[in-house]
Amino acid sequence: MADALSFEKFYNIINNEKIDTGASYHGINPFTGEALWETPVATEKDVNSAVLAAHKAFKTWSLMPWEERSKLLKKFADGLEKYKDEISDLLGKESGKTFPNEAQWSVPEKVLKETADVRIVTQYPPVGVVAGITPWNYPFQLAILKIAPSLMTGCTIVLKPSPLTPYSALKIGEIAAQIFPPGVVQVLGGDDKLGPWITKHPGIAKVSFTGSIATGKMVMAAAAHSLKRVNLELGGNDAAIITEDFDIPKAAQLASIAAFLHSGQVCMGTKRIYVHESVHDEFMKHFILIVKNFKAGEGFISPIQNKMQYEKVKSIYQDCQKLGYDFVVGSGKIEDRAGGYYVEPAVILNPPEDSRIVQEEPFGPIVPVLTFGSDEEVISRVNDSAVGLGATVYCRDERRAWQLAGSLDTGSVWVNGGLKMDPVALFGAHKQSGIGGELGPLGLTYYTNTRTVTYWKESVKDETNGVKQNGETVALFA
Ligand code: NAD
């Protein structure tokens, strides 16, 4: 399958074949509300074929030396690069995004003990067929974040994008089919039945899931049936802490981007801002000025991607308005606009700590700003949450910054900006924000099993590794 790609037709990919399932549906362009292209709905039979193909491919793919797999992944990256403009256009139409970094991954075995008698080694064999399930907010990057570590560790994959944004992932599948052996990468689009079919399938060894906490719990329950491994990358409620010694106009600039990028539809975006009381007025002066210039549908204030999310964001605005919270930017009213789901940005000043806007992840362009008096107090308020994805600390005093960072119950802490993932570092989570993590050497190990090999050296075997019982040598538990 080495033909040029059409960006007008979409297929599921099984065993490097384009599969037309007969049934189809279409996504919606969130900028205009217009229908996008028809796209296939997978059946349960398709899931079985995809898992079977991935199983067959696993037998040879997992034995391929990682240098060769790595070469193919590089070719795959080049293949994606070739269609960069077309994929960017697709992403714009289904949600609007940028490109990921490349990375090199492998999990070398570890020698844990080496003495005259024994060598103990941990090996990391691939776990098997992985199911990758992704949400609608970063359809390209998150698909790559599932495919690359699966393939690098020797796993094969069945990828399921969100039904709201299937397009770029299906094209990734077609590009992968031009490069990898059949069965290594499957991509299935479908309806709400597809996820449960995949997570209950006994042929899947691991589910790498990114999405909401509620669905993550269902995925884990379904995986329990055959004790599948799970990686859960779920929602968060990331806080930013701004101390009084930081450059306040700069803090306002950085925090405004972290909170409003992609209209707040970013899992690691800032969802609540805590400012030291002594610099609060100065911060608000700058922050309000910046956010007042943000306009729905312009720059990074994109439309809300889908109707369900739009209704959720609306209900948070209405809750703040009904309870009389202080809208220092925005009015709290959301007027339905023809075309896309546009929401004007809003800033809420000092709502109660137990309000929905402080406790929930709105996933929309609205953020509360709160004040704090001491580091101890702000740490306790930030940590008093059922979730713990990430946090940001803006603090010039290095010792204090490390102390703050080290006290937060979150998988990531960014200090003084740079709120992004780095391929060398695990992106993990605490509490209900998830289990496991992605990226970095540790992230790769989540796509493997471990195998401990204890090798008794021949020369000393009889004396050290056995005891005589009735003249027979038997194993000794050391
Ligand atoms: P979602 O949970 O509704 O859907 C995610 C995926 O799960 C979709 O592909 C969906 O079709 C599938 N799915 C739905 N029900 C399923 C089931 N029963 N079994 C298996 N799969 C099922 O999430 P969403 O609304 O698409 O995404 C938004 C959420 O994702 C937010 O909470 C956000 O914080 C989170 N998110 C987290 C990260 C992270 O890395 N932690 C990154 C991006 C988004």
Side-chain angles (χ1 to χ4, degrees):
M1 208 173 89
D3 47 332
L5 252 54
S6 150
F7 281 79
E8 299 292 323
K9 281 202 164 298
F10 294 83
Y11 309 92
N12 285 341
I13 302 293
I14 301 175
N15 211 28
N16 284 2
E17 304 280 337
K18 293 179 190 165
I19 306 293
D20 197 345
T21 61
S24 72
Y25 76 103
H26 62 77
I28 300 285
N29 181 339
F31 285 103
T32 61
E34 283 165 7
L36 292 172
W37 309 269
E38 286 300 304
T39 183
V41 179
T43 62
E44 193 165 16
K45 206 167 136 238
D46 294 327
V47 174
N48 291 336
S49 315
V51 176
L52 189 68
H55 258 281
K56 276 196 187 146
F58 180 72
K59 288 190 187 124
T60 42
W61 179 254
S62 57
L63 296 178
M64 189 186 275
W66 83 264
E67 289 88 349
E68 280 175 46
R69 289 203 297 262
S70 163
K71 267 188 217 151
L72 286 177
L73 268 158
K74 180 77 187 64
K75 235 173 124 185
F76 176 49
D78 293 343
L80 295 171
E81 184 72 29
K82 194 169 132 198
Y83 292 106
K84 191 172 160 185
D85 292 343
E86 290 87 344
I87 292 176
S88 295
D89 187 53
L90 271 191
L91 275 171
K93 288 186 176 137
E94 65 180 354
S95 68
K97 299 299 159 348
T98 53
F99 268 66
N101 294 319
E102 274 177 45
Q104 283 216 339
W105 292 300
S106 79
V107 188
E109 65 179 30
K110 271 197 198 108
V111 179
L112 302 173
K113 194 173 194 181
E114 176 84 74
T115 68
D117 307 336
V118 70
R119 164 186 271 243
I120 303 180
V121 174
T122 302
Q123 298 175 337
Y124 297 90
V127 76
V129 177
V130 170
I133 301 182
T134 55
W136 49 262
N137 67 337
Y138 280 85
F140 178 85
Q141 284 92 332
L142 294 171
I144 298 294
L145 268 183
K146 309 289 182 210
I147 294 174
S150 299
L151 269 47
M152 208 54 249
T153 49
C155 299
T156 52
I157 186 166
V158 178
L159 180 77
K160 187 202 96 59
S162 164
L164 297 163
T165 51
Y167 299 103
S168 43
L170 291 171
K171 285 300 148 193
I172 290 173
E174 278 189 56
I175 294 169
Q178 296 184 348
I179 289 154
F180 299 108
V184 172
V185 176
Q186 278 56 235
V187 185
L188 295 182
D191 59 18
D192 290 346
K193 296 202 269 307
L194 182 55
W197 283 335
I198 290 177
T199 51
K200 75 165 195 209
H201 199 293
I204 304 263
K206 175 196 170 79
V207 183
S208 180
F209 172 84
T210 303
S212 63
I213 293 174
T215 312
K217 289 177 182 175
M218 288 193 260
V219 167
M220 192 159 172
H225 194 64
S226 57
L227 284 183
K228 294 177 178 60
R229 278 67 181 138
V230 288
N231 240 38
L232 302 175
E233 304 279 334
L234 310 177
N237 190 17
D238 291 14
I241 299 173
I242 297 161
T243 62
E244 66 281 11
D245 66 347
F246 199 74
D247 176 337
I248 297 303
K250 192 172 170 198
Q253 189 70 43
L254 292 170
S256 68
I257 298 168
F260 288 97
L261 184 71
H262 195 23
S263 274
Q265 302 170 102
V266 182
C267 61
M268 63 214 249
T270 293
K271 311 279 163 50
R272 46 193 174 134
I273 300 174
Y274 293 86
V275 186
H276 192 269
E277 58 196 10
S278 64
V279 290
H280 174 259
D281 291 353
E282 194 197 344
F283 177 82
M284 287 316 291
K285 190 179 80 189
H286 294 284
F287 194 65
I288 289 173
L289 212 64
I290 295 167
V291 182
K292 274 200 167 146
N293 276 319
F294 293 164
K295 294 276 168 285
E298 290 174 18
F300 53 61
I301 310 296
S302 45
I304 302 299
Q305 200 278 336
N306 61 77
K307 179 147 176 54
M308 206 169 77
Q309 188 57 36
Y310 178 66
E311 294 302 333
K312 197 181 152 202
V313 173
K314 246 164 76 168
S315 94
I316 295 256
Y317 274 65
Q318 280 158 359
D319 183 73
C320 292
Q321 209 191 28
K322 195 178 78 201
L323 295 169
Y325 299 158
D326 190 0
F327 276 83
V328 288
V329 177
S331 65
K333 284 211 187 81
I334 298 182
E335 312 278 354
D336 290 350
R337 232 162 92 173
Y341 304 116
Y342 292 95
V343 179
E344 290 299 338
V347 177
I348 311 290
L349 189 59
N350 271 324
E353 196 71 18
D354 62 357
S355 56
R356 280 186 67 196
I357 184 62
V358 179
Q359 293 301 323
E360 288 182 25
E361 175 193 50
F363 240 50
I366 179 167
V367 72
V369 183
L370 306 118
T371 53
F372 71 91
S374 71
D375 290 4
E376 209 176 34
E377 174 209 328
V378 76
I379 288 165
S380 127
R381 284 164 70 189
V382 169
N383 285 343
D384 185 16
S385 168
V387 294
L389 189 60
T392 321
V393 172
Y394 299 98
C395 174
R396 210 170 246 160
D397 177 339
E398 200 177 330
R399 199 155 161 245
R400 184 177 173 194
W402 278 103
Q403 234 156 25
L404 279 165
S407 310
L408 299 174
D409 298 337
T410 58
S412 301
V413 183
W414 292 273
V415 181
N416 301 339
L419 198 118
K420 60 176 192 173
M421 295 180 186
D422 191 300
V424 303
L426 185 77
F427 183 71
H430 291 205
K431 302 187 265 187
Q432 293 193 30
S433 286
I435 290 179
E438 292 186 299
L439 295 173
L442 192 55
L444 275 192
T445 63
Y446 297 136
Y447 287 81
T448 67
N449 282 314
T450 52
R451 182 193 294 122
T452 300
V453 180
T454 303
Y455 178 85
W456 293 99
K457 295 183 180 173
E458 201 57 45
S459 56
V460 287
K461 212 172 195 171
D462 283 346
E463 296 124 59
T464 58
N465 190 28
V467 285
K468 295 268 183 202
Q469 244 179 35
N470 303 328
E472 292 288 305
T473 300
V474 296
L476 176 73
F477 289 94

